Amino acid sequence: MLRRKIAAELERWLKSSEQKALFITGSRQIGKSYSIRAFGKANHATYIELNLMENRQAKDALLEARNADDFISRVTLLSGKSIAPGKTLVFIDEVQEAPDIMTMAKFLVEDGRCRWAFSGSMLGTQFKGVRSYPVGYVHELRMFPLDFEEFCWAIGVSEGARQTIRDACISERPIPDYIHDAMMANFRTYTVVGGMPEVVQRFLDTRGDLASVRQLQSELNEQYRRDISEYASGRAL
């Protein structure tokens, strides 16, 4: 499991006294769903997940909910799980498939029986048609692929080396040559591998096989092209 900075943001959200719903946006395939899923299962007695892209029945049923109580009843029916008040996280994934569902966030937060998390890709998350965006009831986070520090965590750069770099920068001293040279090599590798979690994991699993990495990058690029074509409509060149 790749270590991600978003985990600390999720912890802060959970401990916040505001009890807002969580909404994570970002590109596809960057680890949004994986991060929320791992966090939800580790920190809640009951974890419920509904994917609106995979489960069209869930999409239609939730859009027809009349109020928070009806919405929760439909979630329990669709998931086959019961709500444990105060100990449940409900995660609605791919919300760009039915953005009007975000209108319910205000009432779900006020209901207070469980915590709510929503996620959607930037390519498909459009709120022009939403009846009323729940301003003040949603804590929104934007997620990105792995940055260089996260990449260093993945490849096993020691905390001691990273702390030496931080201390040198703070005190405006030169970084020791052996650390500088090693980190520049890591950075050049990062510029080739990139920060897509699946690609980074492939790089680790194959022990640096860049041919295998490149194949996966090409597959992801093609998926992005199809996704852009789907959501860009007439604006696509």
Side-chain angles (χ1 to χ4, degrees):
M1 178 178 177
L2 298 173
R3 179 183 173 190
R4 302 302 304 274
K5 292 180 179 178
I6 194 74
E9 297 284 350
L10 295 175
E11 288 285 351
R12 281 192 284 272
W13 167 73
L14 182 63
K15 296 176 181 178
S16 172
S17 59
E18 294 183 318
Q19 301 294 303
K20 293 182 179 181
L22 178 70
F23 181 35
I24 296 184
T25 62
S27 302
R28 293 198 185 282
Q29 307 280 341
I30 60 170
K32 300 186 302 297
S33 301
Y34 187 91
S35 297
I36 297 174
R37 186 178 303 120
F39 172 79
K41 291 181 177 180
N43 292 278
H44 298 82
T46 302
Y47 170 76
I48 297 174
E49 178 178 339
L50 293 174
N51 186 306
L52 302 186
M53 181 175 287
E54 295 178 356
N55 191 336
R56 299 291 177 175
Q57 182 183 19
K59 169 187 169 182
D60 295 339
L62 295 181
L63 279 172
E64 295 173 357
R66 298 182 301 276
N67 50 47
D69 190 59
D70 186 25
F71 192 95
I72 293 173
S73 294
R74 291 170 186 247
V75 166
T76 57
L77 182 63
L78 289 164
S79 65
K81 296 183 179 180
S82 299
I83 297 291
K87 300 179 180 180
T88 300
L89 174 68
V90 179
F91 174 35
I92 309 296
D93 199 6
E94 302 288 3
V95 74
Q96 79 278 352
E97 296 298 312
D100 211 30
I101 283 177
M102 290 300 298
T103 304
M104 293 295 301
K106 172 183 176 181
F107 309 106
L108 295 171
V109 170
E110 290 177 340
D111 178 84
R113 274 177 279 178
C114 42
R115 301 300 299 268
W116 295 86
F118 302 86
S119 178
S121 73
M122 293 300 293
L123 288 175
T125 305
Q126 299 182 9
F127 292 103
K128 295 179 181 178
V130 176
R131 287 171 291 167
S132 176
Y133 188 80
V135 177
Y137 290 86
V138 175
H139 178 62
E140 187 168 340
L141 294 173
R142 187 173 178 185
M143 191 173 176
F144 298 89
L146 279 76
D147 62 22
F148 180 53
E149 185 175 20
E150 290 173 312
F151 182 76
C152 287
W153 293 344
I155 63 176
V157 175
S158 70
E159 171 59 27
R162 289 185 283 112
Q163 187 60 52
T164 298
I165 295 171
R166 283 193 290 266
D167 292 342
C169 291
I170 292 171
S171 61
E172 298 183 354
R173 291 183 289 103
I175 296 170
D177 288 343
Y178 76 97
I179 294 180
H180 180 271
D181 292 344
M183 292 301 286
M184 285 302 298
N186 290 336
F187 183 71
R188 285 190 288 270
T189 301
Y190 174 65
T191 62
V192 174
V193 176
M196 297 299 278
E198 188 179 2
V199 177
V200 174
Q201 191 63 57
R202 174 74 64 85
F203 176 76
L204 298 175
D205 292 343
T206 61
R207 299 186 179 182
D209 183 352
L210 293 181
S212 179
V213 164
R214 181 57 182 160
Q215 179 184 6
L216 181 56
Q217 288 173 331
S218 297
E219 293 172 4
L220 290 174
N221 283 337
E222 186 58 36
Q223 291 173 22
Y224 264 82
R225 290 190 187 95
R226 287 197 296 268
D227 202 39
I228 290 170
S229 298
E230 177 183 351
Y231 288 104
S233 301
R235 293 171 293 170
L237 296 177

